[in-house]
């Protein structure tokens, strides 16, 4: 199977992919899912017959790994998966929120009507995945100690486990731990839990924020190659991946870091009329896309 690249945009993608930010507000997903449902209805009734398009959404994703072998951390791992990804995916594929969410959140979790459940189920043509890294999940019974994760899940994400070990390795030039196994595991998880839907990897890449020469981004080549290999392994194991989009084609303005990240395959020289210069990774990726390396 040939995977679509970031330079070969699929003509089948019609809808704008939505980047989902989930917080501790139980009603937030409801406010995302129901308008998305209206868009899906409009696409199916009006545009699909004319353009043959698809509609879907993208999730900022990652695979959680137990912080320790304790049963409470193993359970916390699945809770975080349900509270982050299941919060959106379960209603779209099964018509309702995960059971664990309803148990832990209680009356604060909005309820779907029977009609909404029926209409939500099967309302997406594909799932978009924005993957960069993965984290450990640790049980935390004290809600006041949960600052960045969903406090209703009674779990927190950690960069290292109980033994102080990290997932994969720390990239010296980027911001994240490099853990392509997490992408493979997350793709397999989506396949097994949600009936093997069509998947597009809508974002995957690494920054060059700490490199003296942003054009010499060999670390990005290693990152992309490893994650392409992980994607291919998932496809070989039956995951329905139909596209891969590298983030990003050019240096971009990032939500939390402005222009400091240098995420692009093409570097933007702000000191020379915004000149766009291909990095070593851009040259490698171009060769990859036009050679037999991708098969």
């Amino acid at each position: 199977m040939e995977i679509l690249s970031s330079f070969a945009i699929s003509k089948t993608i019609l809808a704008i992919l939505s980047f989902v930010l989930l917080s501790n507000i139980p009603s937030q997903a409801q406010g995302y899912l129901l308008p998305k449902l209206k868009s899906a209805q409009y696409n199916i009734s009006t545009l699909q017959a004319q353009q043959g398009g698809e509609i879907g959404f993208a999730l900022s994703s990652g695979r959680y790994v137990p912080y320790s072998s304790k049963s409470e951390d193993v359970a916390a791992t699945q809770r975080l998966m349900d509270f982050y990804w299941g919060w959106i995916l379960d209603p779209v594929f099964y018509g309702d929120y995960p059971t664990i969410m309803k148990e832990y959140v209680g009356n604060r979790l909005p309820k779907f009507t029977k009609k909404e459940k029926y209409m939500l189920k099967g309302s997406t043509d594909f799932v978009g995945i924005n993957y960069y890294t993965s984290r450990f999940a640790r049980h935390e019974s004290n809600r006041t100690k949960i600052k960045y994760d969903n406090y209703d899940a009674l779990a927190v994400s950690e960069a290292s486990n109980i033994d102080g070990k990290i997932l994969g390795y720390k990239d010296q030039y980027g911001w994240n731990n490099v853990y392509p196994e997490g992408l493979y595991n997350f793709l397999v998880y989506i396949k097994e839990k949600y009936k093997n839907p069509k998947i597009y990897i809508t974002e995957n890449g690494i920054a060059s924020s700490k490199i003296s020469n942003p054009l010499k981004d060999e670390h990005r080549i290693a990152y992309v190659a490893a994650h392409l290999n992980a994607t291919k392994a998932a496809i070989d194991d039956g995951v329905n991946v139909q596209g891969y989009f590298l983030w990003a084609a050019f240096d971009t303005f990032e939500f939390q870091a402005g222009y400091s990240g240098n995420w692009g395959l093409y570097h933007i020289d702000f000191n020379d009329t915004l000149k766009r210069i291909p990095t070593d990774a851009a040259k490698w990726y171009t060769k990859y896309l036009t050679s037999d390396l991708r098969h």
Side-chain angles (χ1 to χ4, degrees):
M1 177 184 295
E2 183 174 318
I3 304 177
L4 295 169
S5 75
S6 54
F7 293 124
I9 305 299
S10 170
K11 293 181 180 179
T12 65
I13 300 180
L14 177 66
I16 297 175
L17 300 177
S18 300
F19 182 75
V20 181
L21 296 174
L22 298 181
S23 70
N24 289 324
I25 306 173
S27 61
Q28 184 169 348
Q30 201 98 348
Y32 168 78
L33 285 166
L34 296 181
K36 185 258 178 196
L37 175 61
K38 295 294 184 182
S39 298
Q41 290 175 320
Y42 177 75
N43 174 61
I44 293 170
S45 64
T46 307
L47 299 178
Q48 202 165 55
Q50 301 173 17
Q51 301 179 5
E54 296 178 317
I55 189 166
F57 55 88
L59 296 173
S60 179
S61 61
R63 187 66 167 98
Y64 289 105
V65 177
Y67 178 76
S68 75
S69 59
K70 295 179 180 178
S71 59
E72 62 182 15
D73 289 331
V74 174
T77 299
Q78 185 57 51
R79 286 203 304 276
L80 279 186
M81 296 296 290
D82 284 336
F83 268 78
Y84 279 103
W85 326 133
W87 196 355
I88 297 297
L89 292 173
D90 273 40
V92 169
F93 286 96
Y94 298 113
D96 205 354
Y97 294 120
T99 301
I100 195 68
M101 285 195 71
K102 290 188 282 187
E103 177 184 341
Y104 275 56
V105 180
N107 292 332
R108 289 185 298 109
L109 186 66
K111 293 179 174 60
F112 294 113
T113 66
K114 289 184 178 180
K115 182 179 179 180
E116 287 170 344
K117 290 180 179 181
Y118 175 80
M119 295 174 68
L120 276 169
K121 189 175 180 180
S123 62
T124 192
D125 295 316
F126 65 87
V127 175
I129 290 176
N130 299 344
Y131 178 87
Y132 293 94
T133 190
S134 296
R135 293 176 67 85
F136 293 101
R138 176 176 61 80
H139 173 74
E140 177 54 70
S141 59
N142 188 344
R143 283 186 169 89
T144 64
K145 294 183 179 181
I146 302 176
K147 298 180 180 180
Y148 304 109
D149 295 291
N150 193 305
Y151 57 74
D152 280 316
L154 298 183
V156 294
S157 60
E158 302 280 5
S160 56
N161 67 6
I162 192 172
D163 298 318
K165 296 180 180 180
I166 65 173
L167 292 169
Y169 66 90
K170 184 71 175 178
D171 184 90
Q172 61 179 321
Y173 300 119
W175 296 340
N176 292 326
N177 294 340
V178 179
Y179 188 60
E181 183 180 343
L183 174 59
Y184 169 85
N185 290 336
F186 191 73
L187 291 171
V188 172
Y189 176 83
I190 296 298
K191 171 199 171 188
E192 294 177 347
K193 187 172 177 62
Y194 299 105
K195 304 177 182 179
N196 202 19
K198 184 181 295 184
I199 296 173
Y200 292 94
I201 298 172
T202 41
E203 288 186 23
N204 179 241
I206 195 166
S208 297
S209 58
K210 300 177 182 179
I211 193 170
S212 58
N213 184 349
L215 302 181
K216 301 297 181 181
D217 55 350
E218 279 73 16
H219 71 292
R220 180 175 286 121
I221 297 175
Y223 179 96
V224 174
H227 286 78
L228 285 172
N229 285 337
T231 303
K232 178 61 166 57
I235 292 172
D236 290 343
D237 287 340
V239 181
N240 188 17
V241 179
Q242 293 294 315
Y244 173 92
F245 297 83
L246 196 155
W247 188 266
F250 304 94
D251 288 339
T252 60
F253 186 88
E254 297 292 325
F255 292 129
Q256 297 174 314
Y259 292 110
S260 64
N262 292 331
W263 285 84
L265 291 175
Y266 280 75
H267 176 61
I268 306 299
D269 190 341
F270 289 94
N271 298 315
D272 187 4
T273 65
L274 302 180
K275 183 183 297 182
R276 300 178 179 186
I277 309 170
T279 66
D280 286 349
K283 298 172 183 176
W284 171 85
Y285 197 49
T286 300
K287 183 178 180 181
Y288 171 85
L289 294 176
T290 57
S291 71
D292 292 333
L293 292 175
R294 55 185 171 154
H295 297 296

